[in-house]
Amino acid sequence: STGDASVDLHVDVKVLAVNDAPTLSLVDPGLETLNTDEGVAAFLNLVTVGDVDVNENFGGTLQLDVYCQGGHGGSVTASDSFVVPGVWASIREAGDGVTLKGGALALANALTGSYLSIAPVANFYGTLTVVYEVDDMGNSGVGGSLTAAMSVPVTVNQVYNPPTVTYLSPRATVLEDLGGPLNVDVAVTAPELGAATKMFCDLKLRSGNLIQYSDADVMWSEAVGSNSFTAGYMYRIDGSS
């Protein structure tokens, strides 16, 4: 006789894990840059990190480098006042930033809090670039280690720094009613001014008169490699008043 017949065939399909790249993204897409003032550190909390493979692979670890591009103008540091659970931090060999290791969630907690900061160097103003580079270290699946990178500009606003005056010479002594020469050496530092800028210092007495001998007695000398100037003035105190 004839009739319909069927056979069930079961085939096992093994799905191999393929490594997916880690991701870096802005916490707020509308906030793409940091703003701070000269000499003021700013928290780096604009960027977050993720990786589905590391989340799937319990104990998977990411390596994240955060540093100031070019190694000048500033440096990235990690707070030493508290510890983020699951995150290990070390200073980069170049000294311009830090290397963080940990799971995706732990690193995200470190990035979006007040754990990392960018500190401009003294008297620097302009634009810094903070670079983020993450490596999933092969977690997990075929395809080897995958990476991602992004950068965030940091605007450092100029802040006026007033000049400072330091007296270099010892305390001057003159005779009563006679007066005499008064040698005064002062160091004037003005970070905002260039080496070719002239500066002027006023020397005043609470009583008595100052008489400048001549312009030839005003001597200017620039300290090498800085914006510090030493001005030597030769004055005479008129003891008649």
Side-chain angles (χ1 to χ4, degrees), residues 3-20:
D4 294 333
S6 63
V7 177
D8 293 332
L9 179 63
H10 297 276
V11 177
D12 292 331
V13 178
K14 183 177 182 180
V15 180
L16 297 177
V18 176
N19 189 19
D20 293 295

Side-chain angles (χ1 to χ4, degrees), residues 121-164:
V121 298
N123 301 318
F124 173 86
Y125 60 88
T127 301
L128 299 174
T129 300
V130 176
V131 179
Y132 296 77
E133 296 176 343
V134 61
D135 188 329
D136 68 6
M137 304 172 70
N139 292 297
S140 59
V142 298
S145 297
L146 296 176
T147 62
M150 72 177 299
S151 60
V152 171
V154 179
T155 300
V156 182
N157 302 309
Q158 183 179 13
V159 175
Y160 174 69
N161 296 301
T164 60

Side-chain angles (χ1 to χ4, degrees), residues 49 51 54 59-64 84-89 99-108 134-137 139:
V49 63
D51 191 313
V54 170
T61 300
L62 295 173
Q63 177 173 303
L64 177 67
V84 177
V87 174
W88 294 266
T99 297
L100 306 179
K101 291 184 178 181
L105 181 59
L107 288 182
V134 61
D135 188 329
D136 68 6
M137 304 172 70
N139 292 297

Side-chain angles (χ1 to χ4, degrees), residues 24-75:
L24 290 165
S25 59
L26 293 170
V27 175
D28 181 352
L31 190 59
E32 300 178 348
T33 183
L34 280 176
N35 197 290
T36 189
D37 291 333
E38 181 181 337
V40 179
F43 290 125
L44 294 173
N45 51 17
L46 299 186
V47 175
T48 188
V49 63
D51 191 313
V52 294
D53 292 330
V54 170
N55 289 335
E56 293 170 352
N57 179 16
F58 180 77
T61 300
L62 295 173
Q63 177 173 303
L64 177 67
D65 284 89
V66 187
Y67 60 93
C68 186
Q69 190 175 57
H72 64 278
S75 61

